[in-house]
């Protein structure tokens, strides 16, 4: 009896051992839905420039996901930018990613649901983290561009003239977002340079002149340090402000006028080659001009210069024996707003037939009537040349020297009409 009991106990022990071994074997083999590396979560790194539809990673989950496999994978989130390709463990990108979070999410967190087929076991939730890495997908963008620079023409070379230039790159801190500024080659690019390529401060490197060039445009570029780099161009509109650095200028340096035979007070002289006029060479300022005689000479007492128009009129009656030679007056054109800015020109006024170069009588013919009883040595006629004060002149008669003579004070004694000549 004891022997039978002992045998039964041994049989039960064997059966229990077999059952425990079976259970243990089942526990080791059924590792479905566990991660292969024994971890509790998956993580992937994905560049933001990966196109939609790309495979961004493979889930390392134990089990077979095929149609005849023993697990089924799905995502808990319905609006996720990633998806699990049917029958695989591959994660596919369905929406663009963006490290800056502008055109897509900058990071992704999803839960993968793993179902053990043919069992009543609860589903497994496996956290998956997708970290987005930066790519050089943004070009620098200028702030408040294009730019306008108003600058005086007397600005000193080397002056910092514009410090508000700035471009922002949306990429993450690093070479992809480090901006370098340059002036683009062009017709007027030699006027300015950036003080430093990494600083948007513009420096004048060449003298300006409003009268030569009053406005122009230059191009500038902001470029990051990616490979290949991204860049953006814009323009600066440069307006040069005129400064009072130029004197007025007469349209002509020399003017001439002929005194009419019947000139009376108020007679306006006709001036050649045109009316007296000057203008401000600082065209942007274009200051008003007034006219004066630069010196008060004895001959200028007969004439009046209009302060505003520059016209010349006879101020008083002019004796016939005066202004026998051309007179030259210096005319001054002065800015109303700056007496230190002026210009000079000359006006030569002469009687008809007079010239500075040729000696001549003021009349082509002289005529005098003489009574037969006129005493000897009587003065019959006075002749005048255009150089009456020239002591070097000598006069003589070409004929009738036995009847008439010339006195030492240039008065001529006649009894009848005769012709005279001089040298």
């Amino acid at each position: 009896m004891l022997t039978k009991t002992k045998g039964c106990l041994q049989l039960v022990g064997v059966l229990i051992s077999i059952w425990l071994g079976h259970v243990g074997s089942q526990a080791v083999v059924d590792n479905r839905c566990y991660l292969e590396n024994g971890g509790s979560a998956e993580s992937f790194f994905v560049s933001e420039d990966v196109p939609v539809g790309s495979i961004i990673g493979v889930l390392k989950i134990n089990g077979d996901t095929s149609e005849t496999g023993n697990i089924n994978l799905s995502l808990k989130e319905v609006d996720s930018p990633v998806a699990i390709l049917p029958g695989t463990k591959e994660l596919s990108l369905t929406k663009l990613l963006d490290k800056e979070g502008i055109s897509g999410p900058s990071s992704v967190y999803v839960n993968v649901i793993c179902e053990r087929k043919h069992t009543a076991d609860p589903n497994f939730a496996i956290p998956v983290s997708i970290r987005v890495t930066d790519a050089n997908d943004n070009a620098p963008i200028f702030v408040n561009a294009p730019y306008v620079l108003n600058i005086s023409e007397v600005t000193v070379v080397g002056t910092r003239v514009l410090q508000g230039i700035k471009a922002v790159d949306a990429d993450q801190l690093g070479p992809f977002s480090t901006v370098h500024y340059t002036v683009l080659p062009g017709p007027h690019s030699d006027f300015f340079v950036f003080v430093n390529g990494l600083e948007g401060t513009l420096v004048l490197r060449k003298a300006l002149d409003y009268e030569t060039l009053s406005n122009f445009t230059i191009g500038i570029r902001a470029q990051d340090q990616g490979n290949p780099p991204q860049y953006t161009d814009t323009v600066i509109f440069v307006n040069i402000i005129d400064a009072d650095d130029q004197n007025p200028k007469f349209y002509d340096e020399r003017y001439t006028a002929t005194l009419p035979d019947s000139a009376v007070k108020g007679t306006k002289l006709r001036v050649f080659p045109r009316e007296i006029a000057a203008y401000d060479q600082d065209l942007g300022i274009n200051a008003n001009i007034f006219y004066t005689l630069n010196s008060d000479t004895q001959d200028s007492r007969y004439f009046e210069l209009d302060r505003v128009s520059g016209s010349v009129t006879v101020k008083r009656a002019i004796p016939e024996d005066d202004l026998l030679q051309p007179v030259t007056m210096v005319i001054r054109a002065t800015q109303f707003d700056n007496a230190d800015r002026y210009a000079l020109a000359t006006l030569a006024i002469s009687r008809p037939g007079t010239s500075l170069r040729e000696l001549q009588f003021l009349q082509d013919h002289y005529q005098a009537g003489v009574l037969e009883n006129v005493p000897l040595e009587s003065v019959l006629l006075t002749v005048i040349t255009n150089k009456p004060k020239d002591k070097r002149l000598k006069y003589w008669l070409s004929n009738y020297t036995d009847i008439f003579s010339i006195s030492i004070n240039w008065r001529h004694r006649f009894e009848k009409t005769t012709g005279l000549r001089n040298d």
Side-chain angles (χ1 to χ4, degrees), residues 41 46 53 72 101 121 127 158 164 176 185 270 322 355:
V46 182
N72 184 46
D121 296 340
F176 297 159
R270 186 178 180 185
D322 207 346
S355 170

Side-chain angles (χ1 to χ4, degrees), residues 151-221:
I151 180 172
S152 172
E153 65 174 336
V154 295
T155 302
V156 178
V157 172
T159 302
R160 299 187 179 196
V161 295
L162 187 58
Q163 296 180 297
I165 298 175
K166 183 179 181 180
V168 177
D169 195 311
D171 289 317
Q172 298 297 298
L173 292 177
F176 297 159
S177 62
T178 301
V179 180
H180 186 272
Y181 301 94
T182 55
V183 176
L184 295 175
H188 308 296
S189 60
D190 54 342
F191 280 99
F192 300 99
V193 67
F194 282 101
V195 65
N196 186 302
L198 299 177
E199 181 182 349
T201 300
L202 208 61
V203 175
L204 180 66
R205 62 181 298 190
K206 182 179 176 181
L208 302 169
D209 182 18
Y210 177 89
E211 286 69 37
T212 303
L213 185 66
S214 60
N215 59 77
F216 57 89
T217 301
I218 62 170
I220 58 174
R221 172 171 292 179

Side-chain angles (χ1 to χ4, degrees), residues 21 57 79 118 175 188 225 267 359 361 375 388:
D79 58 347
H118 313 300
H188 308 296
Q225 298 185 14
T267 300
L359 175 65
F361 289 106

Side-chain angles (χ1 to χ4, degrees), residues 349-368:
I349 303 176
S350 62
R351 289 182 180 273
T354 60
S355 170
L356 286 173
R357 297 179 180 178
E358 298 180 359
L359 175 65
Q360 54 186 295
F361 289 106
L362 295 185
Q363 296 179 216
D364 293 335
H365 297 85
Y366 291 89
Q367 182 174 338

Side-chain angles (χ1 to χ4, degrees), residues 369-380 414-415:
V370 183
L371 296 175
E372 61 180 349
N373 60 349
V374 171
L376 294 176
E377 303 299 326
S378 296
V379 176
L380 305 179
F414 296 90
E415 287 184 351

Side-chain angles (χ1 to χ4, degrees), residues 57-298:
V58 178
L59 297 169
K60 296 179 180 180
I61 299 175
N62 290 316
D64 183 2
T65 57
S66 65
E67 291 185 6
T68 59
N70 55 9
I71 63 172
N72 184 46
L73 299 180
S74 62
L75 291 178
K76 181 180 179 180
E77 293 76 14
V78 295
D79 58 347
S80 173
V82 295
I84 301 174
L85 294 181
T88 71
K89 300 177 184 179
E90 297 175 340
L91 283 177
S92 173
L93 188 64
T94 59
K95 297 179 182 178
L96 287 175
L97 303 177
D98 186 8
K99 180 64 177 177
E100 293 71 44
I102 299 174
S103 58
S106 59
S107 61
V108 179
Y109 297 93
V110 294
N111 291 281
V112 175
I113 304 302
C114 181
E115 176 191 0
R116 288 177 174 176
K117 292 183 178 180
H118 313 300
T119 69
D121 296 340
N123 296 335
F124 287 75
I126 304 170
V128 177
S129 170
I130 301 173
R131 300 181 184 180
V132 181
T133 59
D134 195 24
N136 191 26
D137 60 339
N138 291 290
I141 301 298
F142 281 102
V143 179
N144 298 325
Y147 300 97
V148 177
L149 172 61
N150 298 315
I151 180 172
S152 172
E153 65 174 336
V154 295
T155 302
V156 178
V157 172
T159 302
R160 299 187 179 196
V161 295
L162 187 58
Q163 296 180 297
I165 298 175
K166 183 179 181 180
V168 177
D169 195 311
D171 289 317
Q172 298 297 298
L173 292 177
F176 297 159
S177 62
T178 301
V179 180
H180 186 272
Y181 301 94
T182 55
V183 176
L184 295 175
H188 308 296
S189 60
D190 54 342
F191 280 99
F192 300 99
V193 67
F194 282 101
V195 65
N196 186 302
L198 299 177
E199 181 182 349
T201 300
L202 208 61
V203 175
L204 180 66
R205 62 181 298 190
K206 182 179 176 181
L208 302 169
D209 182 18
Y210 177 89
E211 286 69 37
T212 303
L213 185 66
S214 60
N215 59 77
F216 57 89
T217 301
I218 62 170
I220 58 174
R221 172 171 292 179
Q223 178 174 296
D224 62 29
Q225 298 185 14
N227 186 21
Q230 297 264 23
Y231 63 86
T232 300
D233 296 340
T234 190
V235 296
I236 301 176
F237 298 100
V238 181
N239 299 313
I240 301 176
I241 301 172
D242 196 11
D244 194 6
D245 62 341
Q246 300 283 333
N247 288 323
K249 183 178 181 179
F250 282 96
Y251 287 99
D252 301 279
E253 294 182 356
R254 298 178 180 86
Y255 297 91
T256 61
T258 301
L259 187 66
D261 290 331
S262 58
V264 295
K265 181 180 179 180
T267 300
K268 181 180 177 181
L269 300 186
R270 186 178 180 185
V271 179
F272 296 92
R274 73 191 83 196
E275 293 296 324
I276 296 171
Y279 63 94
D280 185 2
Q281 294 188 87
D282 295 309
L283 302 180
I285 299 175
N286 195 23
N288 291 327
I289 305 294
F290 67 91
Y291 304 93
T292 56
L293 293 175
N294 196 46
S295 59
D296 188 13
T297 63
Q298 184 176 2

Side-chain angles (χ1 to χ4, degrees), residues 5 29 33 57 69 82 174 209 227 256 263 275 299 305 339 344 383-384 400:
T5 301
V29 172
C33 295
V82 295
D209 182 18
N227 186 21
T256 61
E275 293 296 324
D299 293 329
L305 178 66
L344 302 176
V383 296
I384 303 174
Y400 299 104

